[in-house]
Amino acid sequence: MPTITPSFELPPGYSRVGVVGSFEELVSTRFENGVNALCWPRALAGDFGEIASHFMEDDGTGITCLDDARLGALSLSAEGCIARDILIRDLRLLRSRDLDPTLNCIQGYPRDDEANPVRTDVYSFHVDQAPIETDTYLCSYYGPCSEGLRNDQAIRRVDMPETRAALLELYGGADDDGFRDFLKEEHYDLHYAPLADASPFAFGVGHLWRI
């Protein structure tokens, strides 16, 4: 079973992130007093790398969706079986709260064209946007994890003078309401650059987040 990781610490000043001690706390704790992200720190047993190795034979640019049946069909060592049981259990925990979780083995995300003034792929610091109020649950079980950045340590890329000038040239018009609509339609306004003194933090491996 997973356990709380006592050494889990956020960098100083991350008052918007709360730490909880169980799945029930994670799903039931209200976002308030400026907190907009919750983390359930866990140290997970098992060999998740063994599971990932079964889906790493392509060209490194694909995403493989794993469900209970696909996981169950794998021939695994004892440590791999422990990891598989945890993955299946997490999926069932989330489904028990009427959520629709997706488990992906990610060989690589596609990158935007380098000539684009603002890259809108997932490698960029960005905020999520949805038409309705919703929560996002995230967990990295193996390999590189997501990173977070404090609001006051970031600047919107569309507010950087050189980038804005390049976007205006791409838009072909004035810096007016139409231009701002263009930024929203293309999702350019959702992407951020870290300031020179920024200290991004890692979401960690095995920790389950709600944001």
Side-chain angles (χ1 to χ4, degrees), residues 4-5 18 62 81 166 183 194:
I4 296 301
T5 307
C81 288
L183 297 180

Side-chain angles (χ1 to χ4, degrees), residues 44-185:
L44 301 180
D47 188 350
F48 293 90
E50 181 184 353
I51 294 176
S53 69
H54 285 264
F55 306 100
M56 291 296 186
E57 297 180 357
D58 67 0
D59 60 2
T61 60
I63 299 176
T64 304
C65 185
L66 308 181
D67 56 19
D68 301 42
R70 195 162 194 174
L71 289 169
L74 296 177
S75 177
L76 300 169
S77 67
E79 287 296 303
C81 288
I82 292 172
R84 173 171 58 195
D85 289 346
I86 290 172
L87 293 174
I88 292 174
R89 185 203 57 216
D90 277 359
L91 290 171
R92 290 174 179 173
L93 273 175
L94 293 167
R95 291 176 190 139
S96 73
R97 305 293 297 201
D98 295 325
L99 300 172
D100 187 20
T102 299
L103 177 65
N104 290 324
C105 183
I106 302 168
Q107 295 89 16
Y109 282 109
R111 299 299 304 266
D112 279 356
D113 185 349
E114 291 186 8
N116 195 321
V118 175
R119 289 187 176 187
T120 57
D121 55 47
V122 298
Y123 293 92
S124 166
F125 283 112
H126 62 278
V127 297
D128 290 330
Q129 188 178 64
I132 59 173
E133 183 176 346
T134 187
D135 295 335
T136 298
Y137 289 80
L138 295 173
C139 182
S140 298
Y141 295 93
Y142 176 76
C145 62
S146 299
E147 288 189 320
L149 187 64
R150 275 172 46 174
N151 291 30
D152 60 357
Q153 294 185 348
I155 180 173
R156 286 198 315 169
R157 292 189 179 275
V158 299
D159 294 328
M160 301 168 67
E162 291 184 2
T163 302
R164 197 172 188 89
L167 287 168
L168 278 167
E169 183 176 353
L170 180 64
Y171 172 64
D175 193 340
D176 54 15
D177 288 342
F179 176 60
R180 285 180 281 279
D181 288 340
F182 164 74
L183 297 180
K184 291 180 180 180
E185 290 168 1

